[in-house]
Amino acid sequence: MTSEEFDQLRIKLPQWVEESRRHGTEGKVASYIPELSKAPIEALGIHILDGQGRSISAGDCSLSFTMQSISKVFTLILALLDNGEEAVFSKVGMEPTGDNFNSMLKLELVQPGIPFNPLINAGAIAISSLIAGEHSLDKSARVLHFFRMLAGNDTLDYDYDVYRSESETANLNRSMAYLLKDNGVLEGEVEEVLDVYFRHCSINVTCADLASMALVLSSDGVNPRTGKQLIPRRYVQIAKTFMTTCGMYNASGEFAIQVGLPAKSGVSGGILTMVPGKYGIGLVGPSLNRKGNSIAGVDLLQTMSQHFDWSLF
Ligand code: GLU
């Protein structure tokens, strides 16, 4: 990558952040998990990391927030490591749905009643049941350990307030999980599986943590700082493909056209994305658009991608 591009980014980013931040007022902070509604609506922060360890951050990059759906990318990878491709794709499909992330419509309508992909809630709950471990706490400890390793941050932990808030109000996810159990998709006890899922959604991060995790994906599974292969290339390829086709909920097509990078968003307003072979990027902007994506975050990514011609397509 050119140093010139990185230098330009460093100069332009603060102003771009302030321009995109204004769009925050057009959206809403998620409130269906009550604890998430406390997030600052006007916040926008970003951290960009390259393979040589250089970084740029701008805006509210010290804000911590829960990973929510962003965690689904990495639990998918862990489930692939634990079970292999064949077993994983006997429980979840490979197709976008066009439905909301928390829809259970197709679980009834389309046989054999397996979730369409691992990034919608139903798919991620099925993936949680595939994580190896004796019981839910054991599985969750393995997930947390894996995330810490990818982020290079041993202090990553749960936000227990968000975890409890989600667990207490997750009627829709609960009904979906019981339906999946009935369809023969879920292994193990439903409440245990849900506990693994709620915990990984509640892992607290900063933009810098997301950028480190993204950098591993952008480098085909290698930690560029140590040269160590942390994830097999094939699994990174699978994860990046799902991020491109389903990562931005049912706005993934629009995002592919406007930004053109693999990305995953979460209802906390976080987005993990990357410029493959160049940068890992983490950002947060808690104000969401109607599709559930950070409104200012998507705007900022669009500005950067179009300016530097980052689209993969
Ligand atoms: N924990 C959230 C839920 O299950 C994740 C949703 C999201 O970020 O899209 O509803």
Side-chain angles (χ1 to χ4, degrees), residues 92-103:
V92 294
M94 299 181 180
E95 304 302 337
T97 60
D99 300 330
N100 287 343
F101 65 95
N102 54 6
S103 170

Side-chain angles (χ1 to χ4, degrees), residues 32-33 36 67-72 101-102 119 121 125 162 166 170 173 197-198 201-202 249 264-269 292:
Y32 75 101
I33 298 174
L36 292 184
M67 288 181 83
Q68 297 302 331
S69 270
I70 299 168
S71 60
K72 297 169 180 175
F101 65 95
N102 54 6
L119 299 188
N121 284 8
I125 291 169
V162 173
E166 174 161 1
N173 282 335
Y197 174 78
F198 298 146
C201 287
S202 308
Y249 307 116
K264 182 73 202 90
S265 59
V267 286
S268 52

Side-chain angles (χ1 to χ4, degrees), residues 17 24 38-39 54 71 123 184 217 222 251 265 286:
V17 166
K38 296 182 180 164
R54 295 182 301 180
S71 60
L217 301 184
V222 175
S265 59

Side-chain angles (χ1 to χ4, degrees), residues 31-281:
S31 56
Y32 75 101
I33 298 174
E35 196 63 25
L36 292 184
S37 64
K38 296 182 180 164
I41 187 161
E42 71 299 333
L44 179 63
I46 182 165
H47 190 96
I48 303 177
L49 185 62
D50 79 0
Q52 281 102 64
R54 295 182 301 180
S55 66
I56 307 173
S57 43
D60 305 295
C61 43
S62 58
L63 188 71
S64 65
F65 52 96
T66 51
M67 288 181 83
Q68 297 302 331
S69 270
I70 299 168
S71 60
K72 297 169 180 175
V73 173
F74 300 98
T75 50
L76 167 66
I77 293 172
L78 187 55
L80 284 164
L81 286 165
D82 284 348
N83 304 273
E85 267 181 68
E86 203 183 325
V88 168
F89 293 114
S90 70
K91 301 289 186 191
V92 294
M94 299 181 180
E95 304 302 337
T97 60
D99 300 330
N100 287 343
F101 65 95
N102 54 6
S103 170
M104 42 201 246
L105 206 64
K106 292 199 166 79
L107 292 178
E108 259 209 289
L109 285 179
V110 184
Q111 292 309 316
I114 67 171
F116 263 46
N117 69 67
L119 299 188
I120 51 172
N121 284 8
I125 291 169
I127 292 294
S128 294
S129 89
L130 292 173
I131 303 296
E134 285 276 299
H135 43 72
S136 66
L137 286 181
D138 208 24
K139 290 171 194 238
S140 292
R142 290 190 61 247
V143 171
L144 188 58
H145 180 261
F146 185 56
F147 285 25
R148 284 177 173 172
M149 191 260 298
L150 295 175
N153 180 356
D154 280 345
T155 68
L156 282 196
D157 213 336
Y158 310 110
D159 180 325
Y160 283 98
D161 293 332
V162 173
Y163 160 71
R164 272 189 296 271
S165 182
E166 174 161 1
S167 179
E168 282 162 16
T169 55
N171 298 321
L172 200 52
N173 282 335
R174 237 177 218 106
S175 30
M176 201 178 292
Y178 280 96
L179 182 57
L180 287 172
K181 180 74 183 175
D182 209 57
N183 287 1
V185 177
L186 283 199
E187 310 277 343
E189 213 262 300
V190 176
E191 290 299 329
E192 293 241 326
V193 173
L194 282 167
D195 194 61
V196 176
Y197 174 78
F198 298 146
R199 279 178 192 271
H200 70 67
C201 287
S202 308
I203 293 174
N204 225 5
V205 288
T206 61
C207 293
D209 295 319
L210 291 189
S212 299
M213 297 176 93
L215 189 67
V216 176
L217 301 184
S218 95
S219 320
D220 289 331
V222 175
N223 177 341
R225 275 165 286 180
T226 60
K228 206 169 154 203
Q229 186 89 40
L230 302 180
I231 307 169
R233 189 174 176 280
R234 170 71 180 155
Y235 295 164
V236 174
Q237 192 176 50
I238 292 173
K240 286 196 293 198
T241 311
F242 277 123
M243 291 169 79
T244 306
T245 56
C246 323
M248 300 298 282
Y249 307 116
N250 47 2
S252 299
E254 187 183 339
F255 187 85
I257 288 172
Q258 305 295 10
V259 179
L261 298 172
K264 182 73 202 90
S265 59
V267 286
S268 52
I271 301 178
L272 176 149
T273 185
M274 74 208 73
V275 183
K278 278 189 179 180
Y279 312 126
I281 301 176

